[in-house]
Amino acid sequence: MTQPLLEVSGLKTHFPTAAGIARAVDGVSFTLGRGEVLGLVGESGSGKSVTGFSLIGLVDAPGRIVEGSVHYGGRDLVGLSTAALRRIRGKEIAMVFQDPMMTLNPVLSIATQMRLAIEAHERVSKAAARARSVEVLARVGIPAPESRLDAYPHQFSGGMRQRVAIAIALLHRPKIIIADEPTTALDVSIQAQILAEMKALVDEIGMAMIWISHDLATVSSIADRIDVMYAGRIVEAGPVGAVLRSPRHPYTQGLLESLPSRTVPGEELRQIPGTTPSLTNLPNGCAFAPRCPRADTKCQVMPVESAAAERTWRCHHPETQRSAA
C-alpha cells in the first residue's frame, strides 16, 4: 500500500471560553494521498476550517491543539516550532482562503506580493521571480499576465482576485493545497471555471488538495473522497460518489435533502430541524441525536466507527436505502 502524503490521527483543537472548552476539532482522523482531492464538508461551525488551520499551525491563541498528530514528510507537524512551520507553509503545504482581500495587501502590487512570497523560501533575482509569477498567473487564467502583474488588488474582480490567491499558492509547486471555501463568494459561472482549473492543476502537477466547503455540489465536482463533519467530528467518510449516492449517516442524508435541486418547484425547501449544538456543551453520545429523526436511547452512547467497502460512518442507525443523489 502506498504511504499517505498526509496522515492525521486523533486531532483535537480546543478553545477555552467563558462558557467552557469549545471542542472545535474533536478527534479527527484522515489520510491524503498524492494527487488526491479530499472534500471536507459540513455546516458552519462543524470544525472544517479549524481542521485546515490546525494542519499547518495557524490556530490563533488561546486556541491550541491538545491531542493528536499530523504526519507529513516523515515528521509530526504538531509541536513544531513556528520557524519550522514557516519553512513548510507556502512551500510544501499552501493554503487558499475564502476571501482574497483578507490575504492580499491592498497597497502592494501583485508583482511585489508574489515576489515576496517567492523570496520567503528562495533566493532568486527579481527577473526570475517576475517570470515565475507571470507563468502561474497565466496558468490560473489571468489574461495578459505580464501587464496585470503590476496592478493592485482593487483593480481585479472578485474572481480574478481569487485566481491571484491561487496563483500565489502555486508559486512553489506545493505538494498539498488546503482550499478553505475559495469559491463561496463568487458567482456560479466563475465558480465553475475555477473548479475546472483547480482540478486540471491537480491532474497536471500531481499535488494533493483538501477542499473545505459546505456546498455538496461543489465538492462532488472536484473531490475523490469526502469527509462529512459535524460538531468537530467526522461522522461519515468515503469515495465521493458512493457517499452521495448512498449516505449512511442521517446528517449526510439531511444535507443532501436540503439541496434546492432535491425539491419539487413550488414546495418548501427541506431543512435539517434544529441548530448545531454549542461546542462548549455537546450532548452525551451522538451530537446529532437532538436533530436526528432516527434517534433513540442507543444514541445517548457515542457510536463506534463502522467500516465497509472503503467507507466509514458513526451511527447506531445507519441508512441502508440508496439515495438518488
Side-chain angles (χ1 to χ4, degrees), residues 209-227:
M209 184 161 61
I210 298 174
W211 191 277
I212 299 170
S213 179
H214 64 274
D215 187 341
L216 287 174
T218 298
V219 170
S220 69
S221 67
I222 194 169
D224 302 302
R225 289 192 301 116
I226 185 171
D227 284 2

Side-chain angles (χ1 to χ4, degrees), residues 230-231 233 276-278 280-290 299-300 302:
Y230 186 78
R233 301 175 182 131
T276 54
S278 168
T280 61
N281 188 28
L282 293 173
N284 293 327
C286 176
F288 187 61
C299 302
Q300 295 175 11
M302 178 65 68

Side-chain angles (χ1 to χ4, degrees), residues 234-246:
I234 293 174
V235 296
E236 183 165 6
V240 66
V243 170
L244 297 184
R245 281 195 302 271
S246 180

Side-chain angles (χ1 to χ4, degrees), residues 105-152:
N105 191 321
V107 301
L108 295 180
S109 69
I110 301 302
T112 299
Q113 296 187 59
M114 298 186 82
R115 176 172 56 80
L116 291 174
I118 294 172
E119 291 176 348
H121 298 284
E122 300 177 45
R123 289 186 177 181
V124 298
S125 67
K126 287 186 177 181
R130 187 177 182 88
R132 190 189 303 183
S133 299
V134 170
E135 178 188 349
V136 294
L137 285 178
R139 177 171 283 171
V140 298
I142 298 289
E146 177 67 48
S147 61
R148 299 307 302 275
L149 196 57
D150 295 314
Y152 289 80

Side-chain angles (χ1 to χ4, degrees), residues 35 49 55 62 69 108 143 158 161 179 266 304-305:
S49 294
L55 299 181
S69 61
L108 295 180
R161 284 195 293 266
V304 298
E305 185 175 83

